[in-house]
Amino acid sequence: MKEDKQTTYREAVREGIRNAMQKDDRVFLMGEYVGRYGGCFAVSKGLLEAFGNARIIDTPLCESAYTGAGIGAALNGMRPIVEIMTVNFSLLALDQIMNNAATLLHMSGGQFNVPLVIRMSTGGGKQLAAQHSHSLEGWYAHIPGLKVLTPATVQDAYSMIESALNDPDPVLIFENSLLYNSQGTLDTNAKPLPIKKAVVKRPGNDLTILAYGINLFKALDAAEILEKEAIDAEVIDLRALRPLDDETIMNSVKKTHRVMIVDEGWRSGSISAEIMARINEQAFFELDAAMGRVCSAEVPLPYAKHLEDAALPQPVKIAAMARQIMEDA
Amino acid sequence: MDIESARKFYSQMLLIRRFEEKCIELYSSRKIRGFLHLYIGEEAIAVGVMHALSAEDAVISTYREHGHALARGISAKSIMAEMYGKVEGCAGGRGGSMHLFDAKRRFYGGNAIVGGGLPLAVGMALADKMMKRDRVTVCLFGDGAVAEGEFHESLNLASLWQLPVLFICENNYYAMGTALEFSESEVNLSKKAAGYRINSFQVDGMDVTQVAESAKNAVEDIRSGKGPVFLECLTYRFRPHSMFDAELYRKKTEVNAWKDKGPLVTFKKTLEDKGLWSKIKAQEIEDEITKTIDDAVTFAENGTLEPISDLEKFVYSPEEAQ
């Protein structure tokens, strides 16, 4: 693939997988509909033809067993990529992810690491109601032993596949289903950024907006609105929820002295709560105003479009929260 | 049966028995803590199954796995040190009784989530099949696991993909305190496996020679590419589920009836009938085992406590590997 071509997020993930499979015959893809159907979001379309059914494996609907099989294969020398359709379905595999993938290295006294990558879609916005739309990546970020990546950009959608496969421990990648059609530039020769590296996407001086996944773009839209009101927002793409890049976060807080977080998870016990706690612990005296956040409403996501829109973070809500923080003397 | 096999079977079963009797003593004197799930009564299965494996094969086990670990060749010293929570333990003191691991012996752990090891076994075997390695993965679990969804999902995958897995169901008739008849609509568990088109057999789990023979045949079939095999080994746990079990759910008469059919007494009788009993020199075996266990306790007592500064080690692989 040439540099700087406009690529969709979907193609970027696919090319990331293709690249990894070409380089390393231990890599394989396993999940529901990844082969003959071409992937439930068409991510793996064409990979069955390219690599055959021994490496692009259609599984029955048994999230727990095929995720556990991914762990077993990883223990036995492979580099599996397990695809789970949505984060809501991953709950059927939570036992394997939490009780095996995350614990085996520690429980075995360092003898057995699990080099497994699990990809799944996340997030609302497609009117899929309360069993297909949630954002539970913050839950997974609670678990020691896991790494949690949230690629927002086309470049990260591609590069994070390689970063995750190079990691000796289990890595979960959360792809917002609304991002699959988004476009951006992709440099397949770019060296992947370290997993633990948040990126300042829009430098600013007045306040910091921390976001990840699709909400990065909502935050950038909000920054456009705020710019017209002479509020200069700095927008940071967290990229990973575990580990969190405390250094980049605190450096920005030290610069702007005002901070808010956009988090599509529910606010109670959320990753945004964790980030606020860390800022409180590490940079409290840098703050000129109380921290703020925009999260999803604490309801199972509804089907009706106007209700779903109201439940999710939106640029206008982010801008409103930013104004409130700026007004706080 | 030759004298050598007879001696090996008897001494391994007796080692497991005496090791666990020592564990009860140490638990009562609070030297070891946590949960302690004893295998006493079920020794023939571990010994028979492990006898059928090569060093290259892999084992995935449960939280009642002292016997599996000992029969697989993990030393009594490193298991006892693990129970003591010492660095010299086979999981560095991180796992305890329920989570014994040994990479050298391809022992992938006691898994304490009932049914949780079955998907791992499927994946291990999938990797071997993909890489065209001549290896078998043995997965041990109890009758309780049969009620779990992971049992059914895993048997389906293993059969669908024709994977080299040997499923060993240790049916001791009780899932903790619930009898099989209150758990299962079909109490013949091998029939359930057969429903997934897996070659399935019921085996007398009290008879070490029968277990060894069945496991050997199963492993040969699996190696020759005939797909997974399921052995339901009928057995009985002589001791309570754990040290906290008042055994309200079963009668003493039932326990005693099973003890009369126990693996050590029946094997002794078999050897007597064959005129081999006097030849294996049982007292010599007993003395060797006493010494092995005394040494293991001394080793564990003298073991090292890991410094608390190492607490967060092994949550992730070392930085240089990342």
Side-chain angles (χ1 to χ4, degrees), chain A residues 35-50:
Chain A
R36 294 158 188 91
Y37 189 93
C40 58
F41 291 101
V43 166
S44 51
K45 198 173 162 196
L47 295 180
L48 176 67
E49 291 72 16

Side-chain angles (χ1 to χ4, degrees), chain B residues 27 38 67 91 196 257 276 308:
Chain B
Y27 199 89
L38 298 169
Y196 293 102
L276 288 170
I308 288 170

Side-chain angles (χ1 to χ4, degrees), chain A residues 64 106 111 146-147 169, chain B residues 90 94 124 150 316-317 322:
Chain A
S64 188
H106 191 259
Q111 292 179 84
L146 301 181
K147 289 179 181 162
D169 301 314
Chain B
C90 60
R94 303 294 174 105
M124 300 270 304
E150 286 180 331
Y316 297 100
S317 295
Q322 296 184 25

Side-chain angles (χ1 to χ4, degrees), chain B residues 88-299:
Chain B
E88 292 80 2
C90 60
R94 303 294 174 105
S97 162
M98 296 192 284
H99 305 297
L100 306 174
F101 290 85
D102 190 336
K104 278 199 204 100
R105 285 165 189 83
R106 304 204 74 223
F107 196 87
Y108 287 81
N111 201 302
I113 305 295
V114 174
L118 280 96
L120 301 185
V122 167
M124 300 270 304
L126 175 65
D128 287 335
K129 185 171 181 177
M130 289 175 94
M131 301 312 265
K132 299 186 169 56
R133 302 177 190 126
D134 181 28
R135 291 174 176 175
V136 172
T137 299
V138 174
C139 182
L140 300 114
F141 51 90
D143 49 289
V146 174
E148 294 282 359
E150 286 180 331
F151 169 87
H152 299 274
E153 294 183 8
S154 300
L155 261 63
N156 182 49
L157 285 185
S159 179
L160 185 68
W161 296 341
Q162 287 293 288
L163 300 177
V165 190
L166 173 56
F167 293 105
I168 302 289
C169 178
E170 298 179 313
N171 180 3
N172 65 18
Y173 297 96
Y174 290 90
M176 199 162 134
T178 301
L180 194 59
E181 68 202 89
F182 302 124
S183 284
E184 290 299 329
S185 56
E186 169 56 71
V187 295
N188 182 328
L189 304 179
S190 66
K191 278 193 188 169
K192 288 179 186 276
Y196 293 102
R197 306 182 76 148
I198 294 177
N199 287 325
S200 308
F201 307 92
Q202 269 190 339
V203 180
D204 179 358
M206 292 300 188
D207 180 348
V208 66
T209 52
Q210 198 186 129
V211 175
E213 184 66 20
S214 305
K216 182 171 161 278
N217 293 338
V219 167
E220 274 170 17
D221 282 353
I222 294 166
R223 282 199 213 287
S224 68
K226 290 184 186 163
V229 176
F230 184 96
L231 297 184
E232 180 190 0
C233 301
L234 302 171
T235 186
Y236 200 81
R237 138 170 88 61
F238 294 172
R239 307 285 309 187
H241 168 76
S242 72
M243 301 300 277
F244 301 97
D245 173 7
E247 288 190 276
L248 302 172
Y249 51 85
R250 63 183 192 182
K251 294 197 175 76
K252 280 249 155 36
T253 49
E254 180 185 293
V255 178
N256 289 333
W258 275 97
K259 281 183 178 172
D260 292 342
K261 304 188 266 187
L264 283 161
V265 288
T266 51
F267 191 56
K268 182 182 174 188
K269 178 138 194 341
T270 305
L271 295 182
E272 281 169 349
D273 291 348
K274 290 179 193 279
L276 288 170
W277 176 248
S278 58
K279 294 184 184 156
I280 67 163
K281 296 182 180 135
Q283 191 54 50
E284 226 177 79
I285 293 173
E286 189 84 52
D287 294 345
E288 282 165 21
I289 287 170
T290 303
K291 184 172 182 321
T292 301
I293 290 169
D294 287 349
D295 288 351
V297 173
T298 307
F299 180 77

Side-chain angles (χ1 to χ4, degrees), chain A residues 29 60 168 194 219 229 246 289 291 301-302:
Chain A
L29 177 69
E229 302 165 26
D246 289 357
M291 294 178 272
L301 274 193

